[in-house]
Amino acid sequence: MSSQENDDLAPTCTAGFKVGEKKNIDELAQLDAADASLNKWKESLGLSHAQERFPDDPRTVVVQALVFQSEDRAIRIDVSTPKAIKNLQKNPITIKEGCEYTFKIEFVVQREMVSGLKFLQQVKRKRIPVDKMEEMCGSYGPKYESHERTFPSSKAPSGLLARGTYNVKSKFIDDDNTVYLEWMWSMDIKKDWE
């Protein structure tokens, strides 16, 4: 059995789809160099002048935060460093039962193009899966500014039996199955925000 079959957060594979050959920024810039419209498109992707936001960080995709947004509040979940993730694992976020919410992910792409970024998330309560999300984020060229992707809204469970702690496993991955970040965190569903 492959490790992907054992993984709760294995991305869905489309039958017959094959990921194209990976090319670095210089190779992409040289492709069809005489085509003015293609060069303009490449310029819009930032292939010719991409600055590194975090030059000392070797990661191609730097996930900065996952933001929980509801009508009543926004909770920014810092996942930019191992220390922040460790802190997050010790301190669950509190969510009011029955509230409508969305998640937004903030990330930076540097050095190379990434294709087919996906955000995967599985929520478990007492080790039983209760929700799973797989959202395509798209393909991105290197850019100094942060990218943001907001996901469709959901509704928190409600009622006495729904209150409690939920364990969440999140993953940011691309078409080449490169995992840029995978982390565990928890949320407490309560009657109110406090």
Side-chain angles (χ1 to χ4, degrees):
M1 192 180 277
S2 77
S3 64
Q4 200 167 30
E5 289 171 329
N6 289 328
D7 189 356
D8 289 338
L9 286 180
T12 305
C13 297
T14 304
F17 174 74
K18 291 189 180 185
V19 177
E21 179 185 345
K22 188 155 181 94
K23 295 190 181 292
N24 66 34
I25 294 290
D26 294 332
E27 291 171 327
L28 288 169
Q30 297 304 318
L31 287 175
D32 300 315
D35 186 332
S37 64
L38 192 55
N39 285 333
K40 188 175 180 180
W41 175 73
K42 288 188 236 178
E43 181 75 23
S44 75
L45 293 176
L47 298 183
S48 64
H49 59 276
Q51 296 177 340
E52 292 180 20
R53 177 130 167 223
F54 306 104
D56 296 331
D57 192 329
R59 297 177 290 178
T60 303
V61 176
V62 180
V63 183
Q64 298 175 293
L66 184 64
V67 182
F68 170 90
Q69 301 176 95
S70 75
E71 192 174 292
D72 297 331
R73 58 180 61 179
I75 303 169
R76 189 171 194 277
I77 304 166
D78 181 9
V79 293
S80 61
T81 64
K83 183 179 177 183
I85 292 171
K86 189 173 268 193
N87 186 44
L88 175 63
Q89 291 171 341
K90 292 183 217 168
N91 301 304
I93 66 166
T94 298
I95 298 173
K96 181 181 177 182
E97 67 177 349
C99 74
E100 291 274 338
Y101 67 91
T102 62
F103 277 112
K104 174 176 74 174
I105 193 156
E106 299 172 355
F107 58 97
V108 172
V109 176
Q110 56 183 17
R111 295 186 194 88
E112 298 292 332
M113 292 269 311
V114 290
S115 66
L117 277 176
K118 291 180 187 172
F119 178 72
L120 309 169
Q121 183 165 279
Q122 184 173 50
V123 180
K124 291 183 178 181
R125 176 131 193 250
K126 298 179 181 176
R127 298 185 188 171
I128 298 170
V130 294
D131 190 30
K132 188 171 183 179
M133 174 170 77
E134 179 174 345
E135 290 292 330
M136 176 59 80
C137 296
S139 298
Y140 298 88
K143 181 177 163 186
Y144 188 83
E145 295 81 18
S146 294
H147 297 281
E148 293 182 353
R149 173 73 162 85
T150 302
F151 304 117
S153 65
S154 296
K155 187 172 185 175
S158 62
L160 181 63
L161 295 177
R163 292 181 207 138
T165 300
Y166 291 76
N167 296 310
V168 185
K169 184 177 181 183
S170 301
K171 185 190 286 189
F172 209 44
I173 189 169
D174 71 8
D175 277 346
D176 296 321
N177 287 322
T178 302
V179 177
Y180 294 104
L181 185 63
E182 184 171 5
W183 71 102
M184 302 280 292
W185 56 286
S186 299
M187 59 184 168
D188 289 334
I189 305 293
K190 295 188 175 182
K191 192 169 186 169
D192 213 331
W193 289 106
E194 301 304 323

